[in-house]
Each structure stands twice: as C-alpha cells, then as structure tokens.
C-alpha cells in the first residue's frame, strides 16, 4: 500500500511536501519520500503525521466531573483526597469499566494512539480497555504503601512515604513515576531530591516550581511530563518548559474530571501561554512533545520512518501554507482529523 498526502511529517517531524509513504503487508513502513508517480491512495490535502501521545492522564477520576471547587490536595491528595474515596468505591462495585470505555473512546477521537495513565486502582483493566480502542497504554498502578502486582508503579508524591519504602519500590519494579513540585509546599519539602536520589524515579510529572538550576540537575535519561492547563488552573503557573527542553519534555492533560484528555487543546494552550510569557518556544518543539519525543522516551507511537509500523493521523490542511508546525499547534482541533491510518487500514473519523 502507498499513501500520498500534501504533507508528510517523517522521521523527526521533517516536512515532506507531496509525500508518499509505502507500507508492506505487515503494515510497516518500507519507504518515505516525495511522490514521483505510480499508484497510490491519495489522501488529499492533509498532513500525514504520527498519532499523538497523552503522556499524563488520570482516567478514573472522570467520575468527579468538574468537582474543582476544593483545594488540589483535598481533591486528589493521597490518601484522604475526595478522589480516592469515590474511585475506590467505583472499582469495588465493578462500575469502572463503562467509565473507562467512555474515556478511551473520546481519547481515540482526539487522535491519541498512546496514553501514559496513572491508575489509582485497576491498572490491568485500564490497559485492557484502552487496547480495545486501539490505544497503547503505559499504565502506572498507584502504590499506597503496599507492593502492587503490576510492573509499573507510581506514588502521588515521594513525600508521602518513608525513604526505605521508596528504595524498595525501585528494587522491585520496572518503571517508577511520581508527581514532583506541583505545589509550592511539595517543592519546599524537597520532593525533587527524594524522587531523584532516593526513589530514582523514571518519570517525573509537573515540575511547576522548579528553578532553572534544579531543572539542569535532572539526568537526561529521565522522562519529564508537563501539564500546562491543569497547572495553570490549579496552581496559577506552568512548568518552566524552556528550561526543560534539554530533557525533551512530554505533554499531558492530567485529571479527566477537569480537562478533556485532548492533546490538541493542550498544545494550543501551551502555544498561547509561551507567547504571553515571552518564551522562545518553537512550534516544532511543542508538536514534538506530543508526537515525537514520547517515542524517544517511552516508545509511545512510532515516527513515520522505515521499519516502523504505520500508526498515523490524516489531518485536514486546507490552508496550512509553509508554516505546518504553527498550523498544527495553533489551529487544528480534533474536528480536523480525517482518518487514522493503521498499516494498510484507513479508519475514518
């Protein structure tokens, strides 16, 4: 199968005009380049690009829809936050599967091909439901002072547990993740030092209150995720993205009870916030946070390049001009998604 598109974002998101992508019978890319003739499925005036990754999302808390009337710790703080009581009861009664399906369906509508999910409970159910909707899920089961039977675990904050417990988590599990410096009091409590020196966490979330000096201390092998809309709403500021670019930060939407799990909306917000803050943040970097760097950091959503399975979005581009990256991060919404391309299958949206 050969696909032709007005623009193809290939490899490291390089723009190929009048591009063609060829896949073999197994759905893997065997060639990317400019169209020079021959039979091809013409997708028309679209950008053919990798699917998006939502790199931090709490999906089960959708049952608290718009309950954002309390302080953040009272809402989501472990162990007494409202979320934990409500979600625990939901899972105990077996009512969480239908909720997960509704969230997964919406995320697929937004062009999400991979989600990095924080599961307070029922991590295996999250993984299975998202798979049914064609979304790869890198799931972290929350550890509540115990040792869950799941390969990846997270703690809400390293400040919640004694150092001996954090070290034991590192010894037992494949991947560890935690929220870091989302609030001023957590930052002042030294959560970054615990996350790096004691827990040795693989994935660090939020980083809102980090100083440039602290950002420079994070090892390049770590994965960092920022959540601009949630942070601006709850704590009135956004992580210092320009100081994190050397780490290739990822983009998440955070709590479903407050934000739609829509990476396009997150990119738009970050683009506008960067302009208002005077940040020199390139549109290509914003796009890479959702469509390229997740692959480099967590193997979420492969790029469009030879040898990789084709998992791509066809995005309408009626007047993108020569500013493709700006068009995608500033103007596009899920309404512009024409189709998902999975190997030799075209699924209309």
């Amino acid at each position: 199968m050969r696909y032709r598109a007005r623009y193809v974002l290939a490899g490291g998101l390089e723009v190929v005009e009048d591009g063609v992508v060829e896949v073999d019978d197994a759905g893997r890319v065997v060639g990317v380049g400019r169209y020079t003739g021959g039979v091809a499925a013409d997708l028309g005036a679209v950008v053919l690009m990798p699917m998006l990754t939502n790199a931090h999302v709490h999906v089960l808390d959708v049952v608290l829809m718009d309950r954002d009337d309390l302080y953040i710790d009272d809402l989501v703080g472990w162990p007494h936050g409202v979320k934990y009581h409500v979600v625990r009861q939901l899972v105990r009664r077996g009512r969480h599967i239908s909720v997960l399906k509704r969230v997964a369906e919406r995320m697929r509508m937004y062009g999400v091909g991979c989600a990095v999910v924080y599961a307070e409970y029922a991590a295996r159910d999250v993984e299975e439901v998202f798979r049914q909707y064609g979304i790869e899920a890198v799931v972290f089961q929350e550890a509540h002072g115990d040792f869950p039977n799941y390969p990846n675990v997270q703690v809400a904050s390293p400040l919640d547990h004694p150092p001996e417990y954090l070290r034991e988590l590192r010894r037992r599990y494949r991947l560890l993740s935690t929220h870091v410096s989302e609030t001023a009091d957590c930052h002042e409590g030294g959560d970054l030092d615990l996350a790096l020196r004691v827990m040795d966490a693989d994935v660090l979330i939020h980083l809102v209150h980090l100083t440039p000096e602290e950002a420079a201390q994070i090892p390049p092998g770590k994965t960092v995720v920022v959540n601009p809309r949630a942070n601006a709403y709850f704590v009135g500021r956004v992580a210092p993205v320009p100081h994190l670019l050397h780490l290739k930060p990822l983009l998440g939407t955070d709590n479903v009870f407050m934000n739609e799990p829509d990476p396009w909306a997150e990119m738009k917000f970050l683009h506008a916030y960067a302009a208002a803050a005077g940040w020199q943040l390139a549109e290509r970097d914003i796009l890479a946070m959702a469509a390229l760097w997740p692959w480099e950091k967590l193997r979420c959503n492969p790029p469009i390049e030879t040898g990789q399975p084709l998992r791509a979005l066809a995005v309408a581009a009626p007047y993108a001009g020569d500013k493709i990256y700006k068009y995608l991060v500033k103007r596009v919404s899920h309404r512009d998604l024409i189709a998902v391309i999975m190997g030799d299958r075209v699924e209309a949206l």
Side-chain angles (χ1 to χ4, degrees):
M1 174 67 75
R2 301 173 77 229
Y3 297 104
R4 182 183 180 185
R6 177 175 292 179
Y7 307 99
V8 175
L9 298 190
L13 302 181
E14 292 83 12
V15 177
V16 180
E17 293 190 43
D18 195 12
V20 64
V21 178
E22 185 171 356
V23 298
D24 62 16
D25 291 340
R28 291 188 174 272
V29 177
V30 294
V32 183
R34 296 203 64 169
Y35 179 71
T36 57
V39 176
D42 192 346
L43 299 172
V46 304
V47 179
L48 189 64
M49 60 173 286
M51 296 186 74
L52 301 181
T53 293
N54 189 335
H56 180 65
V57 56
H58 296 261
V59 293
L60 285 167
D61 61 15
V62 68
V63 295
L64 294 172
M65 186 67 73
D66 291 327
R67 277 294 311 275
D68 51 2
D69 52 333
L70 299 174
Y71 178 60
I72 183 171
D73 284 344
D74 297 324
L75 277 168
V76 300
W78 182 84
H80 301 300
V82 172
K83 171 176 74 173
Y84 286 92
H85 298 289
V86 175
V87 173
R88 185 167 57 246
Q89 291 301 315
L90 186 80
V91 172
R92 282 179 178 173
R93 295 170 181 169
R95 297 178 179 175
H96 61 296
I97 299 298
S98 60
V99 171
L100 287 172
K101 288 181 176 180
R102 291 197 294 272
V103 176
E105 183 177 20
R106 289 185 74 82
M107 289 179 69
R108 178 71 171 191
M109 177 183 72
Y110 297 133
V112 172
C114 183
V116 184
V117 179
Y118 262 32
E120 290 75 13
Y121 308 95
R124 295 189 188 280
D125 290 338
V126 173
E127 185 179 343
E128 175 56 30
V129 168
F130 273 63
R131 184 183 299 114
Q132 293 172 17
Y133 286 83
I135 301 174
E136 301 175 46
V138 179
V139 185
F140 289 85
Q141 172 68 67
E142 185 160 336
H144 305 115
D146 56 352
F147 300 102
N149 180 22
Y150 197 75
N152 311 322
V153 300
Q154 59 101 359
V155 293
S157 168
L159 295 169
D160 293 335
H161 304 281
E164 297 76 16
Y165 177 69
L166 300 178
R167 292 190 185 98
E168 184 62 17
L169 291 179
R170 177 71 283 171
R171 192 184 71 81
R172 290 182 180 227
Y173 293 99
R174 182 179 64 189
L175 291 176
L176 297 183
S177 182
T178 188
H179 303 93
V180 173
S181 297
E182 182 177 7
T183 60
D185 54 345
C186 287
H187 181 247
E188 292 166 5
D191 61 356
L192 177 64
D193 189 67
L194 282 173
L196 292 178
R197 318 296 175 202
V198 178
M199 186 179 178
D200 190 21
D202 302 289
V203 184
L204 307 173
I205 313 297
H206 294 307
L207 311 169
V208 175
H209 290 272
L210 256 62
T211 65
E213 294 75 20
E214 289 168 332
Q217 294 173 14
I218 299 175
K222 301 299 184 184
T223 299
V224 300
V225 186
V226 300
N227 307 269
R229 285 186 298 162
N231 295 147
Y233 190 82
F234 272 129
V235 298
R237 59 192 289 177
V238 170
V241 176
H243 297 302
L244 297 169
L245 284 178
H246 67 289
L247 297 167
K248 297 186 175 180
L250 312 187
L251 199 59
T253 61
D254 204 12
N255 308 84
V256 176
F257 75 78
M258 184 192 65
N259 280 334
E260 271 297 300
D262 177 4
W264 298 104
E266 208 68 45
M267 286 190 282
K268 279 193 187 69
F269 181 89
L270 180 56
H271 184 270
Y273 187 96
W279 291 350
Q280 299 301 309
L281 189 57
E283 287 91 2
R284 182 171 180 168
D285 286 342
I286 295 174
L287 185 63
M289 293 168 73
L292 177 63
W293 293 340
W295 173 254
E296 298 182 19
K297 291 292 186 175
L298 294 172
R299 284 299 184 258
C300 282
N301 285 334
I304 301 175
E305 65 182 16
T306 300
Q308 300 299 338
L310 183 63
R311 292 172 55 85
L313 300 175
V315 181
Y319 48 80
D322 60 351
K323 299 184 183 298
I324 303 303
Y325 306 123
K326 179 174 284 190
Y327 171 76
L328 290 170
V329 304
K330 184 179 179 182
R331 292 183 178 273
V332 166
S333 73
H334 71 277
R335 292 185 297 273
D336 297 301
L337 303 187
I338 304 300
V340 173
I341 316 296
M342 305 288 286
D344 61 355
R345 301 196 322 271
V346 179
E347 303 173 9
L349 290 174

